[in-house]
Amino acid sequence: MGSTAVLPYMQTKPKIIFFTDFDGTITVDDSNDYMIDNYGFGREQRLKLSDRILDGTLSFRDAFREMLASIKTPYNECIDILLKNMKLDPYFEEFYNWAEENNVPIVILSSGMVPIISALLEKFLGHKPRSHITIIANDVVSRDGKDINSEGGWDIKFRDESHFGHDKSLEIKPYAALPEGERPTMLYAGDGVSDLSAAAETDLLYAKEGKDLVIFCQRQGIPYKTFETWESILADTKEIYKNGLSI
């Protein structure tokens, strides 16, 4: 730890690394919530489990698995449905292009599944995501030996054994440990409970207005700045790129 040689996002010696959630952060709505509400057990039951996450009586991992298990739609059909119904934040593509031009790696840390995120990004951007953007997320596996593209045939494959299922802080900590003079400024944007571990590792956290991450940050005393769209994040990141972290 501490050597940039083994840290992939440091290969171009960036001034800033931008870590971010995907669902409800880069997208307007959360694709998992959409599928659970419309093709799973519904919004009411989802919110009941979300309340248990918030009050600490159920882990995010266990709640999320139960939510997704209620969706019996074949996986390829889930992707097709989301491609028709999800929308990109209206300013994210501008941020994406600016980041490429200014050597700012974007690292998506998601509790969702890689195939869905990849498909949505390719549709939104009109091309396969370029090399300055990386997706680190959960995956999908067969349920009970079935074809994932059959009814009830898929399950989420969590990235690690944490109570989040994907502890997003693990991807950030090696960069946070770099010595002064080598360590870039690290920013993070998110909206939900699964972003909490990552939030404490970065220099500035953007928490989406009105979402659960704001509640958790307030409870735990984690500093944050609210955002509604990537317009304000882009403006701030440009300022930080020019003048350092002073906002």
Side-chain angles (χ1 to χ4, degrees):
M1 192 174 296
S3 170
T4 61
V6 294
L7 299 178
Y9 316 132
M10 290 300 297
Q11 296 307 303
T12 58
K13 297 183 170 53
K15 293 168 65 173
I16 295 172
I17 302 175
F18 205 112
F19 297 92
T20 177
D21 177 47
F22 183 75
D23 280 294
T25 301
I26 289 176
T27 57
V28 174
D29 298 310
D30 187 303
S31 67
N32 302 300
D33 290 353
Y34 181 86
M35 292 302 299
I36 295 158
D37 292 356
N38 293 283
Y39 297 88
F41 52 38
R43 184 172 187 271
E44 183 177 355
Q45 182 62 18
R46 175 175 66 79
L47 292 178
K48 285 180 182 177
L49 293 181
S50 293
D51 286 342
R52 292 187 61 195
I53 297 170
L54 286 169
D55 67 23
T57 61
L58 186 65
S59 72
F60 177 86
R61 179 196 188 97
D62 291 342
F64 195 44
R65 185 183 287 282
E66 185 175 342
M67 292 177 190
L68 294 180
S70 73
I71 303 168
K72 305 305 179 186
T73 308
Y75 197 70
N76 58 341
E77 292 182 26
C78 290
I79 292 177
D80 288 342
I81 289 164
L82 293 172
L83 288 173
K84 292 173 185 173
N85 289 280
M86 292 296 101
K87 293 180 180 178
L88 185 70
D89 179 283
Y91 296 94
F92 181 76
E93 187 172 4
E94 185 180 352
F95 180 90
Y96 166 87
N97 290 328
W98 176 87
E100 182 179 31
E101 291 165 4
N102 291 276
N103 187 30
V104 175
I106 301 170
V107 184
I108 294 173
L109 301 177
S110 175
S111 293
M113 290 161 279
V114 170
I116 288 177
I117 297 168
S118 297
L120 287 173
L121 269 182
E122 186 169 345
K123 182 199 173 182
F124 293 148
L125 299 172
H127 56 258
K128 289 187 180 298
R130 298 197 180 104
S131 60
H132 70 296
I133 192 165
T134 303
I135 302 169
I136 307 293
N138 295 312
D139 214 329
V140 61
V141 291
S142 166
R143 182 189 298 278
D144 301 327
K146 297 178 184 177
D147 184 333
I148 64 170
N149 296 323
S150 63
E151 185 174 354
W154 63 272
D155 194 5
I156 188 169
K157 180 183 180 182
F158 287 113
R159 190 170 176 86
D160 57 47
E161 297 302 316
S162 69
H163 65 275
F164 291 112
H166 176 196
D167 182 349
K168 299 179 181 184
S169 71
L170 297 178
E171 192 70 15
I172 302 174
K173 284 179 177 177
Y175 297 86
L178 288 170
E180 188 175 350
E182 291 184 44
R183 184 185 185 280
T185 299
M186 297 191 299
L187 310 179
Y188 190 89
D191 71 323
V193 178
S194 67
D195 298 308
L196 195 60
S197 66
E201 297 295 329
T202 49
D203 299 304
L204 179 60
L205 165 66
Y206 293 95
K208 195 164 189 180
E209 184 70 49
K211 299 297 183 178
D212 289 343
L213 183 57
V214 171
I215 297 170
F216 268 79
C217 287
Q218 289 172 344
R219 286 180 183 174
Q220 300 200 15
I222 297 173
Y224 65 95
K225 185 172 185 177
T226 58
F227 76 100
E228 293 184 0
T229 73
W230 281 76
E231 181 179 26
S232 60
I233 293 176
L234 176 58
D236 279 0
T237 308
K238 286 180 176 179
E239 179 64 24
I240 293 166
Y241 186 85
K242 275 198 215 169
N243 300 313
L245 189 60
S246 58
I247 59 173

